PDB file of all heavy atoms in Angstrom:
ATOM      1  N   ARG A 435     -85.585-228.311  -8.216  1.00  0.00           N
ATOM      2  CA  ARG A 435     -84.878-229.482  -8.696  1.00  0.00           C
ATOM      3  C   ARG A 435     -85.849-230.503  -9.247  1.00  0.00           C
ATOM      4  O   ARG A 435     -87.045-230.469  -8.966  1.00  0.00           O
ATOM      5  CB  ARG A 435     -84.082-230.142  -7.561  1.00  0.00           C
ATOM      6  CG  ARG A 435     -83.152-229.237  -6.807  1.00  0.00           C
ATOM      7  CD  ARG A 435     -82.111-228.600  -7.671  1.00  0.00           C
ATOM      8  NE  ARG A 435     -81.633-229.483  -8.709  1.00  0.00           N
ATOM      9  CZ  ARG A 435     -80.846-229.072  -9.708  1.00  0.00           C
ATOM     10  NH1 ARG A 435     -80.474-227.822  -9.789  1.00  0.00           N
ATOM     11  NH2 ARG A 435     -80.457-229.937 -10.621  1.00  0.00           N
ATOM     12  N   TYR A 436     -85.310-231.452  -9.987  1.00  0.00           N
ATOM     13  CA  TYR A 436     -86.129-232.516 -10.569  1.00  0.00           C
ATOM     14  C   TYR A 436     -86.331-233.681  -9.602  1.00  0.00           C
ATOM     15  O   TYR A 436     -87.456-234.135  -9.382  1.00  0.00           O
ATOM     16  CB  TYR A 436     -85.447-233.027 -11.843  1.00  0.00           C
ATOM     17  CG  TYR A 436     -86.030-234.325 -12.362  1.00  0.00           C
ATOM     18  CD1 TYR A 436     -87.220-234.328 -13.086  1.00  0.00           C
ATOM     19  CD2 TYR A 436     -85.401-235.546 -12.123  1.00  0.00           C
ATOM     20  CE1 TYR A 436     -87.766-235.517 -13.553  1.00  0.00           C
ATOM     21  CE2 TYR A 436     -85.937-236.743 -12.587  1.00  0.00           C
ATOM     22  CZ  TYR A 436     -87.123-236.722 -13.298  1.00  0.00           C
ATOM     23  OH  TYR A 436     -87.657-237.903 -13.767  1.00  0.00           O
ATOM     24  N   TRP A 437     -85.235-234.162  -9.000  1.00  0.00           N
ATOM     25  CA  TRP A 437     -85.283-235.452  -8.297  1.00  0.00           C
ATOM     26  C   TRP A 437     -85.783-235.273  -6.860  1.00  0.00           C
ATOM     27  O   TRP A 437     -85.027-235.353  -5.895  1.00  0.00           O
ATOM     28  CB  TRP A 437     -83.911-236.133  -8.357  1.00  0.00           C
ATOM     29  CG  TRP A 437     -83.892-237.573  -7.910  1.00  0.00           C
ATOM     30  CD1 TRP A 437     -83.081-238.101  -6.954  1.00  0.00           C
ATOM     31  CD2 TRP A 437     -84.689-238.654  -8.391  1.00  0.00           C
ATOM     32  NE1 TRP A 437     -83.330-239.442  -6.801  1.00  0.00           N
ATOM     33  CE2 TRP A 437     -84.317-239.815  -7.674  1.00  0.00           C
ATOM     34  CE3 TRP A 437     -85.704-238.763  -9.354  1.00  0.00           C
ATOM     35  CZ2 TRP A 437     -84.912-241.056  -7.894  1.00  0.00           C
ATOM     36  CZ3 TRP A 437     -86.289-239.999  -9.565  1.00  0.00           C
ATOM     37  CH2 TRP A 437     -85.902-241.128  -8.844  1.00  0.00           C
ATOM     38  N   GLY A 438     -87.086-235.008  -6.781  1.00  0.00           N
ATOM     39  CA  GLY A 438     -87.739-234.855  -5.494  1.00  0.00           C
ATOM     40  C   GLY A 438     -89.222-235.088  -5.693  1.00  0.00           C
ATOM     41  O   GLY A 438     -89.680-235.285  -6.820  1.00  0.00           O
ATOM     42  N   ALA A 439     -89.967-235.082  -4.609  1.00  0.00           N
ATOM     43  CA  ALA A 439     -91.407-235.275  -4.736  1.00  0.00           C
ATOM     44  C   ALA A 439     -92.042-233.978  -5.250  1.00  0.00           C
ATOM     45  O   ALA A 439     -91.890-232.935  -4.619  1.00  0.00           O
ATOM     46  CB  ALA A 439     -92.012-235.650  -3.391  1.00  0.00           C
ATOM     47  N   PRO A 440     -92.724-234.040  -6.392  1.00  0.00           N
ATOM     48  CA  PRO A 440     -93.353-232.809  -6.896  1.00  0.00           C
ATOM     49  C   PRO A 440     -94.351-232.247  -5.886  1.00  0.00           C
ATOM     50  O   PRO A 440     -95.077-233.005  -5.229  1.00  0.00           O
ATOM     51  CB  PRO A 440     -94.071-233.286  -8.165  1.00  0.00           C
ATOM     52  CG  PRO A 440     -93.339-234.506  -8.599  1.00  0.00           C
ATOM     53  CD  PRO A 440     -92.885-235.164  -7.321  1.00  0.00           C
ATOM     54  N   ILE A 441     -94.359-230.950  -5.762  1.00  0.00           N
ATOM     55  CA  ILE A 441     -95.328-230.303  -4.880  1.00  0.00           C
ATOM     56  C   ILE A 441     -96.687-230.372  -5.574  1.00  0.00           C
ATOM     57  O   ILE A 441     -96.829-229.874  -6.694  1.00  0.00           O
ATOM     58  CB  ILE A 441     -94.909-228.854  -4.589  1.00  0.00           C
ATOM     59  CG1 ILE A 441     -93.589-228.848  -3.802  1.00  0.00           C
ATOM     60  CG2 ILE A 441     -96.012-228.115  -3.823  1.00  0.00           C
ATOM     61  CD1 ILE A 441     -92.984-227.467  -3.597  1.00  0.00           C
ATOM     62  N   PRO A 442     -97.665-231.011  -4.957  1.00  0.00           N
ATOM     63  CA  PRO A 442     -98.919-231.342  -5.665  1.00  0.00           C
ATOM     64  C   PRO A 442     -99.881-230.170  -5.724  1.00  0.00           C
ATOM     65  O   PRO A 442    -100.995-230.239  -5.188  1.00  0.00           O
ATOM     66  CB  PRO A 442     -99.474-232.495  -4.819  1.00  0.00           C
ATOM     67  CG  PRO A 442     -99.012-232.170  -3.427  1.00  0.00           C
ATOM     68  CD  PRO A 442     -97.681-231.509  -3.562  1.00  0.00           C
ATOM     69  N   MET A 443     -99.455-229.083  -6.338  1.00  0.00           N
ATOM     70  CA  MET A 443    -100.293-227.903  -6.383  1.00  0.00           C
ATOM     71  C   MET A 443    -100.442-227.432  -7.829  1.00  0.00           C
ATOM     72  O   MET A 443     -99.539-227.586  -8.651  1.00  0.00           O
ATOM     73  CB  MET A 443     -99.675-226.776  -5.549  1.00  0.00           C
ATOM     74  CG  MET A 443     -99.537-227.102  -4.070  1.00  0.00           C
ATOM     75  SD  MET A 443    -101.124-227.312  -3.212  1.00  0.00           S
ATOM     76  CE  MET A 443    -101.732-225.641  -3.203  1.00  0.00           C
ATOM     77  N   VAL A 444    -101.624-226.860  -8.119  1.00  0.00           N
ATOM     78  CA  VAL A 444    -101.900-226.360  -9.465  1.00  0.00           C
ATOM     79  C   VAL A 444    -102.316-224.904  -9.363  1.00  0.00           C
ATOM     80  O   VAL A 444    -103.096-224.529  -8.473  1.00  0.00           O
ATOM     81  CB  VAL A 444    -103.039-227.188 -10.136  1.00  0.00           C
ATOM     82  CG1 VAL A 444    -103.415-226.586 -11.475  1.00  0.00           C
ATOM     83  CG2 VAL A 444    -102.598-228.644 -10.289  1.00  0.00           C
ATOM     84  N   HIS A 445    -101.758-224.100 -10.261  1.00  0.00           N
ATOM     85  CA  HIS A 445    -102.124-222.690 -10.247  1.00  0.00           C
ATOM     86  C   HIS A 445    -103.041-222.391 -11.420  1.00  0.00           C
ATOM     87  O   HIS A 445    -102.838-222.850 -12.534  1.00  0.00           O
ATOM     88  CB  HIS A 445    -100.883-221.800 -10.337  1.00  0.00           C
ATOM     89  CG  HIS A 445    -101.211-220.366 -10.143  1.00  0.00           C
ATOM     90  ND1 HIS A 445    -101.287-219.475 -11.190  1.00  0.00           N
ATOM     91  CD2 HIS A 445    -101.516-219.679  -9.021  1.00  0.00           C
ATOM     92  CE1 HIS A 445    -101.621-218.285 -10.713  1.00  0.00           C
ATOM     93  NE2 HIS A 445    -101.762-218.382  -9.389  1.00  0.00           N
ATOM     94  N   CYS A 446    -104.075-221.608 -11.122  1.00  0.00           N
ATOM     95  CA  CYS A 446    -105.044-221.238 -12.136  1.00  0.00           C
ATOM     96  C   CYS A 446    -105.230-219.729 -12.056  1.00  0.00           C
ATOM     97  O   CYS A 446    -105.247-219.161 -10.960  1.00  0.00           O
ATOM     98  CB  CYS A 446    -106.354-221.968 -11.840  1.00  0.00           C
ATOM     99  SG  CYS A 446    -107.823-221.248 -12.577  1.00  0.00           S
ATOM    100  N   ALA A 447    -105.320-219.101 -13.192  1.00  0.00           N
ATOM    101  CA  ALA A 447    -105.425-217.634 -13.221  1.00  0.00           C
ATOM    102  C   ALA A 447    -106.649-217.171 -12.442  1.00  0.00           C
ATOM    103  O   ALA A 447    -106.628-216.130 -11.791  1.00  0.00           O
ATOM    104  CB  ALA A 447    -105.488-217.148 -14.664  1.00  0.00           C
ATOM    105  N   GLU A 448    -107.706-217.949 -12.459  1.00  0.00           N
ATOM    106  CA  GLU A 448    -108.943-217.580 -11.776  1.00  0.00           C
ATOM    107  C   GLU A 448    -108.938-217.984 -10.298  1.00  0.00           C
ATOM    108  O   GLU A 448    -109.260-217.205  -9.421  1.00  0.00           O
ATOM    109  CB  GLU A 448    -110.138-218.265 -12.458  1.00  0.00           C
ATOM    110  CG  GLU A 448    -110.540-217.650 -13.778  1.00  0.00           C
ATOM    111  CD  GLU A 448    -110.969-216.192 -13.619  1.00  0.00           C
ATOM    112  OE1 GLU A 448    -111.783-215.900 -12.714  1.00  0.00           O
ATOM    113  OE2 GLU A 448    -110.453-215.336 -14.386  1.00  0.00           O
TER     114      GLU A 448
END
Side-chain angles (χ1 to χ4, degrees):
Chain A
R435 307 301 323 170
Y436 167 79
W437 191 234
I441 295 173
M443 298 295 290
V444 175
H445 188 257
C446 159
E448 285 299 312

